[in-house]
Amino acid sequence: MDKKLVEQITSRSEDFAQWYTDIVRKAELADYSSVRGCMIIRPYGYAIWERIQKYIDAKIKGTGHENVYMPIFIPEHLLEKEKEHVEGFAPEVAWVTEGGNEKLTEKLCVRPTSETLFCEHFAKIIHSYKDLPKLYNQWCSVIRWEKTTRPFLRTAEFLWQEGHTIHATREEAEKETRYILDLYSELCKDVLAMPVIQGKKTESEKFAGAVDTYTIESLMHDGKALQAGTSHYLGENFARAFGIQYSDKEGKQQYVHYTTWAVTTRLIGAIIMIHGDDDGMVMPPRIAPIQVIIVPIAQHKSGVLEKANELKDILSKSVRVKIDDSDKTPGWKFSEYEMKGVPVRLEVGPRDIEKNQVVLVRRDTGEKTVVPMDNLENQVNSLLDKIHDSMYKKAKDFRDNNTHDAFNMEQFKDIEENKSGFVRAMWCGDAKCEEKIREITGATSRCMPLKQEHISDTCVCCGKKADKLVYWGRAY
Amino acid sequence: MDKKLVEQITSRSEDFAQWYTDIVRKAELADYSSVRGCMIIRPYGYAIWERIQKYIDAKIKGTGHENVYMPIFIPEHLLEKEKEHVEGFAPEVAWVTEGGNEKLTEKLCVRPTSETLFCEHFAKIIHSYKDLPKLYNQWCSVIRWEKTTRPFLRTAEFLWQEGHTIHATREEAEKETRYILDLYSELCKDVLAMPVIQGKKTESEKFAGAVDTYTIESLMHDGKALQAGTSHYLGENFARAFGIQYSDKEGKQQYVHYTTWAVTTRLIGAIIMIHGDDDGMVMPPRIAPIQVIIVPIAQHKSGVLEKANELKDILSKSVRVKIDDSDKTPGWKFSEYEMKGVPVRLEVGPRDIEKNQVVLVRRDTGEKTVVPMDNLENQVNSLLDKIHDSMYKKAKDFRDNNTHDAFNMEQFKDIEENKSGFVRAMWCGDAKCEEKIREITGATSRCMPLKQEHISDTCVCCGKKADKLVYWGRAY
């Protein structure tokens, strides 16, 4: 055991960035390696990713999506086929220039994203309208050569799923894009207890090569925004660049409509920054690798370990439960599992056994309840649900309390300087205003929410007529 | 639909290598890309890999193993830390030399295997005997810069799991190595219907940096051997190179004992070459993405599609079943699913419905049986088990019939020239004899089987005293 574990971590108010790094290290979610910008995802962190994978994989397979695996490398000429796309990605790719002791004749980039590979393949396998749609997904790692990195939030390598689907019509492709946005939102709400704003990116913030980029945006505890997932409608741009055509029912050649969408290991960073507190991680119950930790009290006394194991067996039917019967003190164990954010601690000692009861302690609120041992499985399960709901509500209240409306630049500046969080303001649609807002306040447009409200008639920046409500914020 | 699908593929006797490639393409298991030596694993091929993953992942998690994720890159200095290891891998790595538009100060190789990364991490997290064992596994892709490649069998990039475990004692590490070898053997036998020989590699064939390499070897239909999985005991070699020490109960510093083990997407190649025939793929039922294909006969007639869907619903409770109600002819559909190797075809037409029966056709033998609709789920499940057993027996009989004993080099040469398959022969233990055998016959030592037999007293090559039985063969 790392002895530093129960030492205090930096508090959020003292240094939020350091607090974040402390949790990542001390809750054993990730570690650094000697590889620049790349992280090691440790068992406890990887188990979270596996649960995210399982949720998404089951949902998309249930709606006809299939997993495939594309090469890790993209030859330079292939990356360059779609103009906007290569402009967006070229500055941040890693290049393989030597292989098997020889210099390569064409350099290969390690995939930053796989549109070009999917499109080359689609062009080969699509002939007729009968071949459509193709609903593909890939689980893999990608490389973005970032200058400054932080575990989970921004790393040179990260894990993700990338969906790539092609359709006969624009309508069908747009429906897919929105279906996935809803799926991501449900993942966040129902599994990660994380409220999100669904919206559309402005022209300047959208994905390199997309017609429309949809996003889910969430608010971290330091008041900064985080893009938690994106779903793009790419129109016919890639189809034209790669020649992905099909013959329709009338035998006419048509270009396919393309969508791509992704969520990444970044979500683990979001979970930390939304739910964590000064004692460490607070895991949303449905994603928690351990949901209940049983800590036997006075475990050397006759019958305690037996009873603790008996309770474990009962709970393990429906709950991810672990027992810590090591020789550490109960107090040490309490701190350790608080750091790891285990949602419920179950304490059981000789006096509890006598009274046929156990003590349940919530990680999120610290609340203790003494409950009878009978019907324990149901009680624990409903407590886990209750914790989920209450964590979601707390995060949503925080976000709502930190979302401010601005009607002119004075107000906007005042919010950025004296408060934090999302700013809601009307925008005329001009990229110059977006740019000016960024210069003056440091905030960028996060999204145009799908649920639009008309809070004023004029652009917060230029004062001209405006009909778009935009969420703004400083972002990760 | 690709019209070429139902055209004949090259027969095995005509050109085994071409037959293999035809199946890979026409059963839509994999495709080529413009990336040298890398393949695209298509949905039907990837679904096989997912089932292999699911089996192994559940088994190893059940015995306390945890998944982690290490960086994709290895800095040059790290790869060079263990001398034998780097000598084995350096000639076949791909190097990243540029990132984010800049030349790197130290080049990074794209991982060919991750021992060096795991060891660097282990050295940081291991302090006391209480931290041991660590039982880690990683699912990822790796790169080996191979000169000549073939889908699944030998590719520049392939998918695998790599297990990395460290233990306090040699005994415990050796037990782990053998546990994994048994697990791989069970996967092959119980899931892939693939008989394997368990054995130990000779010094010259073992993994770069290992003390002992255990292997499972299987025989393909062309008489060539294929290494299907390996499990290595690496002793203290890496621990010394990377300084992975723990203090034992007496407070003394000790080096850990290390094991690594892997199976790869190569197994998909083995399934093709062991079970496939001149009509295409033959899928072992337990790994088959589709176990039963329902082909409605005269599906335009009233009640046929309804009944077919009803049967599908019944079967889908326990069987991976699909219905093909497209407008292709039944004959076309038969060929298509034969090419894909679907274990059972279920035909149902108006006359069957009248008689309350269906027709079941086995892919492996072509055998047709008419069975009553009642109790269909049980009948199909026991047929799938029967097919599994019979495919395993067929493959085992083939292997046994193509395993020959040689007592001198004349016999050895004769077998290699006029027969094919495994050669069993005694060996004195001298690497020079191994080398001479390879020069004369083209065969390499595949393994020293764990179940040893003493078939003669003298080395097949030099005639000196020999006490090791070795399996030899030409290998993929």
Side-chain angles (χ1 to χ4, degrees):
Chain A
M1 222 26 264
D2 187 350
K3 283 209 174 164
K4 285 178 202 144
L5 190 79
V6 288
E7 282 174 23
Q8 279 208 326
I9 54 173
T10 310
S11 72
R12 283 178 295 179
S13 56
E14 194 187 329
D15 183 345
F16 192 82
Q18 187 57 46
W19 165 83
Y20 177 82
T21 311
D22 284 354
I23 288 197
V24 167
R25 299 290 295 278
K26 295 194 178 166
E28 300 184 344
L29 294 163
D31 202 355
Y32 297 100
S33 71
S34 64
V35 192
R36 186 200 156 284
C38 295
M39 65 180 160
I40 291 166
I41 307 181
R42 301 190 66 181
Y44 197 58
Y46 198 80
I48 300 174
W49 182 238
E50 285 184 309
R51 304 220 142 257
I52 293 173
Q53 286 189 302
K54 204 176 159 188
Y55 180 89
I56 293 177
D57 207 66
K59 289 274 179 184
I60 62 178
K61 278 186 180 150
T63 45
H65 297 76
E66 300 175 295
N67 285 331
V68 298
Y69 189 78
M70 291 284 157
I72 192 175
F73 298 132
I74 306 171
E76 191 172 23
H77 79 274
L78 198 63
L79 188 70
E80 288 174 346
K81 271 203 167 178
E82 213 284 338
K83 208 174 148 291
E84 283 182 34
H85 186 69
V86 66
E87 277 171 13
F89 282 103
E92 54 180 43
V93 297
W95 292 103
V96 174
T97 60
E98 300 169 20
N101 288 332
E102 280 170 26
K103 205 168 154 55
L104 305 187
T105 49
E106 181 183 16
K107 56 184 188 176
L108 306 170
C109 85
V110 188
R111 66 179 159 225
T113 179
S114 306
E115 276 75 6
T116 52
L117 294 163
F118 274 89
C119 284
E120 186 189 40
H121 182 57
F122 284 143
K124 276 172 78 175
I125 64 168
I126 300 303
H127 309 290
S128 140
Y129 70 94
K130 289 182 184 174
D131 301 328
L132 294 172
K134 283 277 179 256
L135 309 175
Y136 285 172
N137 178 63
Q138 168 166 279
W139 293 98
C140 65
S141 85
V142 287
I143 295 293
R144 312 266 171 98
W145 210 257
E146 303 278 0
K147 297 274 178 223
T148 45
T149 61
R150 294 175 70 186
F152 297 118
L153 293 179
R154 194 167 289 278
T155 41
E157 180 187 24
F158 56 85
L159 304 183
W160 77 351
Q161 60 67 222
E162 47 178 322
H164 295 259
T165 72
I166 49 174
H167 307 262
T169 64
R170 174 173 189 133
E171 291 66 39
E172 206 186 299
E174 281 180 341
K175 203 175 148 197
E176 167 82 9
T177 313
R178 296 290 293 271
Y179 161 73
I180 293 294
L181 194 73
D182 285 341
L183 169 59
Y184 289 165
S185 308
E186 279 160 35
L187 165 73
C188 288
K189 184 178 179 197
D190 298 343
V191 185
L192 311 181
M194 205 174 120
V196 294
I197 306 281
Q198 290 192 333
K200 205 168 161 172
K201 289 283 184 189
T202 61
E203 280 298 303
S204 55
E205 293 285 332
K206 69 183 197 189
F207 178 76
V211 172
D212 291 317
T213 286
Y214 293 91
T215 178
I216 47 174
E217 299 283 329
S218 54
L219 193 65
M220 304 297 104
H221 217 276
D222 61 347
K224 280 169 86 173
L226 184 133
Q227 176 181 301
T230 48
S231 181
H232 316 287
Y233 168 61
L234 302 161
E236 301 180 358
N237 294 349
F238 280 82
R240 287 176 192 277
F242 286 85
I244 316 172
Q245 283 187 299
Y246 68 95
S247 56
D248 66 15
K249 283 185 183 167
E250 283 76 43
K252 244 181 85 183
Q253 288 296 102
Q254 304 282 2
Y255 286 107
V256 299
H257 294 259
Y258 187 25
T259 91
T260 65
W261 27 276
V263 291
T264 78
T265 36
R266 178 170 234 215
L267 282 174
I268 299 172
I271 298 170
I272 300 172
M273 288 196 297
I274 286 185
H275 300 300
D277 65 22
D278 288 350
D279 294 322
M281 185 79 178
V282 179
M283 284 280 183
R286 291 175 195 158
I287 206 80
I290 307 166
Q291 295 176 303
V292 175
I293 181 71
I294 300 179
V295 179
I297 308 296
Q299 65 184 34
H300 58 282
K301 293 211 175 154
S302 149
V304 173
L305 279 181
E306 288 79 353
K307 181 52 83 177
N309 275 297
E310 198 184 291
L311 296 175
K312 185 193 151 200
D313 291 343
I314 289 168
L315 289 179
S316 62
K317 280 173 215 150
S318 58
V319 173
R320 294 186 289 280
V321 55
K322 206 182 130 174
I323 183 166
D324 187 345
D325 57 4
S326 68
D327 55 10
K328 292 170 222 162
T329 65
W332 185 286
K333 293 176 190 175
F334 292 176
S335 300
E336 190 177 329
Y337 295 100
E338 275 164 18
M339 177 63 70
K340 285 190 178 268
V342 174
V344 173
R345 181 172 79 231
L346 187 157
E347 303 170 11
V348 59
R351 270 178 28 207
D352 300 308
I353 295 169
E354 219 167 84
K355 292 183 187 164
N356 198 43
Q357 69 186 28
V358 298
V359 180
L360 299 180
V361 185
R362 282 172 66 161
R363 172 65 182 88
D364 62 329
T365 59
E367 196 186 330
K368 260 189 191 197
T369 44
V370 178
V371 303
M373 281 190 202
D374 312 321
N375 200 22
L376 186 64
E377 197 189 344
N378 282 342
Q379 290 185 81
V380 166
N381 273 301
S382 56
L383 181 59
L384 290 170
D385 281 340
K386 201 171 150 188
I387 293 172
H388 173 90
D389 293 344
S390 130
M391 285 176 69
Y392 179 78
K393 188 179 178 302
K394 192 178 163 194
K396 192 168 173 299
D397 288 348
F398 176 83
R399 185 198 63 198
D400 292 346
N401 292 334
N402 288 279
T403 301
H404 313 281
D405 292 355
F407 301 97
N408 55 52
M409 288 311 289
E410 283 310 300
Q411 291 175 339
F412 205 142
K413 265 176 71 179
D414 178 59
I415 296 166
E416 287 300 334
E417 279 162 20
N418 302 310
K419 298 172 184 173
S420 72
F422 281 131
V423 173
R424 300 198 321 158
M426 298 304 288
W427 174 58
C428 61
D430 191 334
K432 280 181 203 140
C433 287
E434 240 183 313
E435 183 52 28
K436 201 170 167 190
I437 289 170
R438 200 187 57 74
E439 274 166 23
I440 294 174
T441 69
T444 52
S445 74
R446 303 319 309 146
C447 69
M448 299 176 283
L450 298 187
K451 282 188 194 146
Q452 280 283 318
E453 273 178 68
H454 192 78
I455 64 170
S456 94
D457 294 330
T458 54
C459 176
V460 69
C461 184
C462 66
K464 287 189 191 145
K465 200 164 176 292
D467 62 357
K468 282 185 193 71
L469 176 67
V470 173
Y471 272 73
W472 311 81
R474 292 164 191 265
Y476 276 99
Chain B
M1 224 23 270
D2 186 348
K3 283 209 175 163
K4 284 177 200 141
L5 191 79
V6 289
E7 281 174 22
Q8 280 209 324
I9 55 172
T10 310
S11 72
R12 283 177 296 178
S13 56
E14 195 186 329
D15 183 345
F16 192 83
Q18 188 57 48
W19 165 84
Y20 176 82
T21 311
D22 284 355
I23 288 197
V24 167
R25 299 291 295 278
K26 294 192 178 168
E28 300 184 344
L29 294 163
D31 202 355
Y32 297 100
S33 70
S34 64
V35 191
R36 184 201 157 283
C38 294
M39 64 179 161
I40 292 166
I41 307 181
R42 301 189 65 182
Y44 197 59
Y46 199 79
I48 300 174
W49 182 239
E50 286 184 309
R51 304 221 141 256
I52 292 174
Q53 285 190 303
K54 202 175 161 188
Y55 181 89
I56 293 178
D57 207 66
K59 289 273 179 183
I60 62 177
K61 279 185 179 151
T63 46
H65 297 76
E66 301 176 295
N67 286 331
V68 298
Y69 189 78
M70 292 284 155
I72 193 176
F73 298 132
I74 306 172
E76 192 172 23
H77 78 273
L78 197 63
L79 188 69
E80 287 174 348
K81 271 205 169 179
E82 212 286 338
K83 209 174 146 290
E84 283 181 34
H85 187 69
V86 66
E87 276 171 14
F89 282 103
E92 53 181 43
V93 297
W95 292 104
V96 173
T97 61
E98 299 169 21
N101 287 333
E102 281 172 26
K103 205 167 154 55
L104 305 187
T105 49
E106 180 183 16
K107 56 185 188 176
L108 305 171
C109 86
V110 188
R111 67 179 158 226
T113 180
S114 306
E115 276 75 7
T116 52
L117 294 163
F118 275 89
C119 284
E120 187 189 38
H121 182 57
F122 284 144
K124 276 171 77 175
I125 65 168
I126 299 302
H127 309 290
S128 138
Y129 70 95
K130 289 182 184 173
D131 301 328
L132 294 173
K134 283 276 178 256
L135 309 175
Y136 285 173
N137 178 66
Q138 169 167 277
W139 292 99
C140 64
S141 85
V142 286
I143 295 292
R144 310 267 170 98
W145 211 257
E146 303 278 359
K147 296 275 177 220
T148 46
T149 60
R150 294 175 69 187
F152 298 117
L153 293 177
R154 195 167 289 279
T155 40
E157 180 187 24
F158 55 86
L159 305 183
W160 77 350
Q161 60 66 221
E162 46 179 322
H164 295 259
T165 72
I166 49 173
H167 308 262
T169 65
R170 175 174 188 132
E171 293 64 41
E172 205 187 299
E174 281 180 340
K175 204 176 147 196
E176 167 83 8
T177 315
R178 296 289 293 274
Y179 161 74
I180 293 294
L181 194 74
D182 285 341
L183 168 60
Y184 289 165
S185 308
E186 280 159 33
L187 164 72
C188 289
K189 185 179 177 195
D190 299 343
V191 184
L192 311 181
M194 204 174 121
V196 294
I197 306 281
Q198 291 192 333
K200 203 168 164 173
K201 289 283 185 190
T202 61
E203 279 299 303
S204 54
E205 292 285 332
K206 69 184 198 189
F207 178 75
V211 173
D212 292 317
T213 287
Y214 294 90
T215 178
I216 47 173
E217 299 283 328
S218 54
L219 193 65
M220 304 296 104
H221 218 276
D222 61 348
K224 279 168 87 173
L226 184 133
Q227 176 182 302
T230 47
S231 181
H232 316 287
Y233 168 61
L234 302 162
E236 300 179 358
N237 294 349
F238 280 84
R240 286 175 192 278
F242 286 84
I244 316 172
Q245 283 187 298
Y246 67 95
S247 56
D248 66 15
K249 284 186 186 168
E250 283 75 44
K252 243 180 87 183
Q253 288 296 100
Q254 304 283 2
Y255 287 106
V256 300
H257 294 259
Y258 187 25
T259 91
T260 65
W261 28 277
V263 292
T264 77
T265 35
R266 181 173 232 214
L267 282 174
I268 299 171
I271 298 171
I272 300 171
M273 289 197 294
I274 286 183
H275 300 301
D277 65 21
D278 289 350
D279 295 321
M281 186 78 178
V282 179
M283 284 279 184
R286 292 175 195 158
I287 205 81
I290 308 165
Q291 295 176 304
V292 174
I293 181 71
I294 300 179
V295 179
I297 308 296
Q299 65 185 34
H300 57 282
K301 294 214 173 150
S302 147
V304 173
L305 278 181
E306 288 80 352
K307 181 52 85 177
N309 275 300
E310 198 183 290
L311 297 175
K312 185 193 152 198
D313 291 343
I314 290 168
L315 288 178
S316 62
K317 280 173 217 151
S318 57
V319 172
R320 295 186 290 278
V321 56
K322 206 183 128 172
I323 185 164
D324 187 345
D325 57 3
S326 67
D327 54 9
K328 292 169 221 163
T329 64
W332 184 286
K333 293 175 189 175
F334 293 176
S335 299
E336 191 178 328
Y337 295 100
E338 275 164 16
M339 178 63 72
K340 287 192 177 263
V342 175
V344 173
R345 181 173 78 232
L346 187 157
E347 302 170 13
V348 59
R351 272 182 23 209
D352 300 308
I353 295 169
E354 219 167 81
K355 294 182 184 164
N356 198 43
Q357 69 186 28
V358 299
V359 180
L360 299 180
V361 186
R362 282 173 66 161
R363 171 64 181 90
D364 63 328
T365 59
E367 197 186 330
K368 262 190 192 196
T369 44
V370 178
V371 303
M373 281 190 200
D374 313 321
N375 199 23
L376 186 63
E377 196 190 347
N378 282 341
Q379 290 184 82
V380 166
N381 274 302
S382 56
L383 181 60
L384 289 170
D385 281 339
K386 203 171 148 187
I387 292 173
H388 173 89
D389 294 344
S390 128
M391 284 176 70
Y392 179 77
K393 188 178 177 306
K394 193 177 163 195
K396 191 166 175 301
D397 288 348
F398 176 83
R399 185 197 65 196
D400 293 345
N401 293 333
N402 288 279
T403 301
H404 313 281
D405 293 354
F407 301 98
N408 55 53
M409 289 309 291
E410 283 311 298
Q411 291 175 343
F412 205 142
K413 266 177 68 180
D414 178 59
I415 295 166
E416 287 300 334
E417 278 160 20
N418 302 307
K419 300 170 184 174
S420 71
F422 280 132
V423 173
R424 302 199 318 159
M426 298 303 289
W427 175 57
C428 61
D430 191 337
K432 281 181 203 138
C433 285
E434 242 184 311
E435 182 52 27
K436 202 169 164 190
I437 289 169
R438 199 187 58 72
E439 274 168 23
I440 294 173
T441 69
T444 53
S445 73
R446 302 319 309 147
C447 69
M448 301 176 282
L450 298 186
K451 281 187 194 147
Q452 280 283 317
E453 272 178 68
H454 192 78
I455 65 169
S456 96
D457 295 328
T458 54
C459 176
V460 69
C461 184
C462 66
K464 287 187 193 148
K465 201 164 173 295
D467 61 358
K468 283 185 192 71
L469 176 67
V470 172
Y471 273 72
W472 311 81
R474 292 163 190 267
Y476 276 98

